[in-house]
Structure formats: structure tokens, C-alpha cells
Amino acid sequence: MSIPLIKVTLFEDKKDTRESIQAILNCSPGFTCSGAFANCNNLVKRLTESDLDVVLMDIQMPGISGIEAVAIIRQQYSDVPVLMQTVFEEESKIFAAICAGANGYLLKSTVPSKYIDAIREVAEGGSPMSPVIAAKVLKMFKHQNVQVDSITDYNLSSREQEILGLLVDGLSYKLIAGKLFINYETVHSHVKNIYKKLHVSCVNEAVSKAIRNKLV
């Protein structure tokens, strides 16, 4: 029985790094690099022509930055998960990437096996982050002076609240399905309803709103 491939399109300006990541992907069972580009020029055209499941995006790209590229991807391909990678730990860039719609954030120092695990997780609906990045994100939420939305009753069902809580904990759709003893499609359906009720379009927005409004 063949393993379903997770097809990854890579945007990385440094040639050696790009070729190294390509090799890691193509040598890992269940993964393939469906495209590798040195910049984000003609981004929409490249994504349209690529057969992809996940975008792996360097935050520091020439011309159109990785953060700008994420925002474009969110406008054109709202369901495509984007995993950011960087050598930086700057809080402003992390926050900007998350606000733009990134689904996860990895340091380039991450070992290859963890890279592959993170790509698999984001493909399954999770929001992987390197531990040092996750710590910074939690710190930002803790110290960010944000107002609670005026509307606090979103009419979430008990099951939707339960799933939202697991999303806040960083679980992927697959892990949520296993934990709640329901199938993947049911989780996906509940998440779509959560997005609609919270007026958000991605996991990061849902998690941010849940934390701000103490929904879980």
C-alpha cells in the first residue's frame, strides 16, 4: 500500500539551504518537494501551477517578503497551510507572520526529523512552532494590551468549545479526532462552524480570539 504524499512548495532565497531542504523532503517517505523558488515573484502563478499541500516559506525573502507572501496566499488560497522558517527570533516578525495568517513557525536550526514532523503536523491542521518561538508567542499574548471583543457570546456548542480548546492547545485535526473518538471530517466540519461563528478564517485567528475573549 503506497503512502499518500504530502507535496511541499518551498520558497527559500539561499541556494544551499533550498537544495538541502529539497533533498530532505524528497528523501523522506510520504513527502515530495513539488516546487522550489528563490523569491516570491509571480507568487500566485507559481502556486496555481504547483501541485501542493503545504507552503514552506522563508520569512526573509528578496522583493516580496515572506510575511507579505503569506498575506497574498491567505487572500488567494485560504485553505493552504503555510509554515514559516527563519534564522531570526524577532518578536515583531513572529507576530507579523502570525497576523498575516501563518500556520506555524520554525527556526532553521530545527533538526531534519523535526522539520518533517512539523510539515506533517501543519498538513493535518496543526500549528507547529519551535519551542523558543512558542515561548515568545505566549509571552506576546500575555503582555499584549488587547481589548476583549464587545460581543462575547458566540453560541458555540459544547463540542465546538471542546475542539476550540484543543486547537488552543496546539493539537492537529488528526490528534483532535483521535482524542475525541470522532473522524477527521467531523473535526473539519466543527472547525468550519467555529470559524463562521467567531468570524475568523484560520486557526491562528481562532486561537487568538479564544484567548482574548476567554472562550476556553
Side-chain angles (χ1 to χ4, degrees), residues 146-160:
V146 293
Q147 292 184 340
V148 175
D149 295 345
S150 58
I151 300 174
T152 57
D153 185 5
Y154 295 98
N155 296 313
L156 295 174
S157 68
S158 58
R159 178 63 95 186
E160 288 164 353

Side-chain angles (χ1 to χ4, degrees), residues 52-86:
L52 62 92
D53 298 306
V54 173
V55 171
L56 186 58
M57 176 70 68
D58 183 14
I59 200 168
Q60 292 287 106
M61 296 290 285
I64 298 173
S65 73
I67 295 171
E68 292 171 321
V70 174
I72 293 170
I73 293 169
R74 278 293 150 263
Q75 291 174 357
Q76 300 290 329
Y77 305 94
S78 59
D79 294 333
V80 174
V82 181
L83 184 59
M84 304 299 291
Q85 55 172 356
T86 183

